[in-house]
Amino acid sequence: MLTSPSPEGSLDPRQTSDAGPSPVPPAPARDNRYMIMVISGLLALGLGIGAAALPVPYVIESAGPTFNTLGKDGDKPVITISGRESFPANGNLDLTTVVLTGGPKTPATIFDVFRAWLDSSKAIYPEELIYPKGTTAEQTVQEGEIAMETSQENAFAAALRELDIPFEQRLNVAGLSEASPAAGKIQEGDLLKSINGKAITSMSVIQAELAAGAGAPAVVVVERKGAAVTETITPTRNSADRYVLGVLLASDFTFPFDVSISLENVGGPSAGMMFALGIIDNLTPGDLTGGKHVAGTGTITADGAVGPIGGIAQKMIGARQQGATMFLAPAANCSDVVGHVPDGLQVVKVETLADANSAVERLGSGEDTAGLPTCTNN
C-alpha cells in the first residue's frame, strides 16, 4: 500500500520500518534540586514575613486629630463652667495631638518603620527616647492620664490668674532633688508659707525672690504638722542657670467655681495652653478668636509659663489639615518649628499665656498679625 508523503521532519504513524518499531526515549529523571530550591524559597519568604511582623524598637510620630476647646467632644462640650456666668464662644482654639505607633502600647513593625521613612510627614525615634526602658503599657496610660489631669488644673489656675480672678494655691513639698541645699531642713509634706517674709502664693514668688537674692541665703517658713518651722537655705544654680532651693513641689488649689474638661483618649500635658485659652474665652464676653481658626500646643504652669512639647512638626501638619491659619508654638520648640511650617500657616512664638492670649486677641480683632514674634534660624 502506498501512503502520501509526510511533512518534512515528521513521522507518519502509518509508516513502517524494516528496522522494527522506533525506540521510545526514557523520561528524564525529576530534578530534585529544583524542588529543594522551591521549598527553600518558600521557607525564606515565610521567615521574612514573620521577621517583618516582629516588633522593632522604634516609635513613629504621625499627625493626630485636633479638638476645638470651644466645641464638643462627641455630644459633650470640651469645657463646661459651673457656678459662674459663661459666654459660649465661636471660632476654633484647637489643641493638637500626635499618634504614636511603637512602644509598649502599640509595637511597630519593620513594615511600619519603612512606610514612615518614605513619608516626610512622619518622624521616627528610637523607642528609649520616648519610653524609658521597662515602661509597661499600663504605666504609659496612667502617666498620660495624670499628666492630663495636672495640665487641666494648671490651665484653670493660669486662666484665672490671666483674668485677675482670685483663687488659693498651696505649695506642698513632694520631695527633694539630688544634692538639694534644703536637705535636712525641709521635709516631704511641708507646706511652704513664706520666703524672706513674703507670702508664697505661687511658684513665681519663690523664683522672683531667689533671683533677686542672686544666691544669697533665703529665710523660708514652712508649716509642718500644724507648727511653723523657719529655716535658712542657701540656693544653688540649676542647669537652666536659675537659683533653686532643690525642692520638688506639688500644688493644691481652691477655686471659686468649677471647670470640667471632657476629652477622651487624649493624654499628656501638651494641651495645657489651649485649655487655658478656651477657659479664658468662655469666661469673657464675645469671641476671642473673632471666629478665626487658631491651633496650638504647649504645657502650662499655674503661673502661665508655656513649656515645650514633642511632635510639634506633626502637630502643625494636623492643624493645617483641619483649617487652622495661626499656630501658637512654645518658644522652646522653635528649633523644631523652623523648616517644618506648612504652607498657609502662621506660627507665633509664645513664652507665656499672656503672649498667646494677646496674639489671638489681635487676630480676632482684625489687626495685622505680621509683626507677631515667630521662630527663626537665629
Side-chain angles (χ1 to χ4, degrees):
M1 179 184 300
L2 296 176
T3 59
S4 60
S6 298
E8 183 178 358
S10 67
L11 177 65
D12 191 315
R14 294 173 295 177
Q15 288 182 326
T16 62
S17 168
D18 58 358
S22 299
V24 179
R30 181 176 294 275
D31 191 344
N32 290 331
R33 291 176 300 173
Y34 174 77
M35 293 301 297
I36 292 172
M37 290 175 61
V38 170
I39 293 172
S40 298
L42 291 173
L43 286 174
L45 179 62
L47 290 172
I49 293 174
L54 292 174
V56 291
Y58 292 95
V59 174
I60 302 163
E61 280 187 342
S62 310
T66 64
F67 300 88
N68 183 11
T69 60
L70 304 179
K72 293 184 177 183
D73 179 28
D75 59 352
K76 296 181 180 179
V78 174
I79 296 175
T80 302
I81 295 174
S82 306
R84 187 182 178 96
E85 184 179 12
S86 60
F87 307 88
N90 294 314
N92 281 67
L93 287 171
D94 289 356
L95 64 89
T96 51
T97 68
V98 293
V99 174
L100 297 180
T101 303
K105 288 178 64 179
T106 53
T109 68
I110 192 64
F111 284 146
D112 296 326
V113 174
F114 181 69
R115 285 195 296 265
W117 181 71
L118 296 174
D119 188 343
S120 61
S121 71
K122 298 181 180 181
I124 305 170
Y125 301 99
E127 184 178 324
E128 63 268 19
L129 291 181
I130 309 297
Y131 301 103
K133 190 174 181 180
T135 302
T136 65
E138 292 76 15
Q139 288 174 326
T140 300
V141 172
Q142 185 179 34
E143 289 171 2
E145 290 174 348
I146 292 172
M148 172 62 83
E149 183 178 344
T150 301
S151 76
Q152 292 174 3
E153 200 168 53
N154 284 343
F156 192 8
L160 295 190
R161 186 165 274 121
E162 179 69 13
L163 295 173
D164 292 324
I165 298 174
F167 63 95
E168 184 179 352
Q169 179 182 11
R170 294 173 298 280
L171 294 174
N172 301 299
V173 177
L176 301 178
S177 63
E178 187 177 352
S180 169
K185 298 181 178 182
I186 292 181
Q187 301 177 10
E188 184 176 342
D190 286 352
L191 173 63
L192 296 185
K193 301 296 288 185
S194 68
I195 180 168
N196 293 337
K198 295 183 179 179
I200 297 175
T201 56
S202 69
M203 185 77 74
S204 60
V205 173
I206 301 173
Q207 293 170 339
E209 197 61 27
L210 294 179
V219 178
V220 180
V221 177
V222 302
E223 182 181 314
R224 183 182 302 156
K225 298 180 180 179
V229 177
T230 303
E231 297 285 358
T232 299
I233 303 169
T234 301
T236 57
R237 287 196 182 199
N238 64 8
S239 58
D241 202 29
R242 289 183 177 180
Y243 288 101
V244 296
L245 297 176
V247 177
L248 307 177
L249 299 176
S251 292
D252 182 19
F253 300 101
T254 300
F255 296 119
F257 54 93
D258 294 329
V259 169
S260 63
I261 295 177
S262 174
L263 193 63
E264 296 183 1
N265 301 318
V266 178
S270 65
M273 179 183 68
M274 299 311 293
F275 282 143
L277 288 173
I279 293 169
I280 289 173
D281 204 353
N282 274 274
L283 287 173
T284 52
D287 297 324
L288 180 63
T289 67
K292 304 292 194 330
H293 198 144
V294 180
T297 188
T299 64
I300 197 79
T301 67
D303 294 330
V306 175
I309 50 77
I312 196 165
Q314 287 68 46
K315 290 180 178 181
M316 290 189 296
I317 291 171
R320 187 67 189 113
Q321 288 174 343
Q322 296 302 314
T325 57
M326 176 180 282
F327 189 93
L328 306 171
N333 278 122
C334 271
S335 60
D336 302 313
V337 169
V338 175
H340 298 96
V341 180
D343 291 340
L345 189 67
Q346 179 186 8
V347 176
V348 179
K349 177 179 69 174
V350 298
E351 296 187 47
T352 65
L353 178 60
D355 294 341
N357 191 38
S358 177
V360 178
E361 280 185 333
R362 191 163 173 175
L363 177 70
S365 64
E367 295 180 44
D368 183 14
T369 61
L372 290 173
T374 190
C375 294
T376 64
N377 285 314
N378 298 329

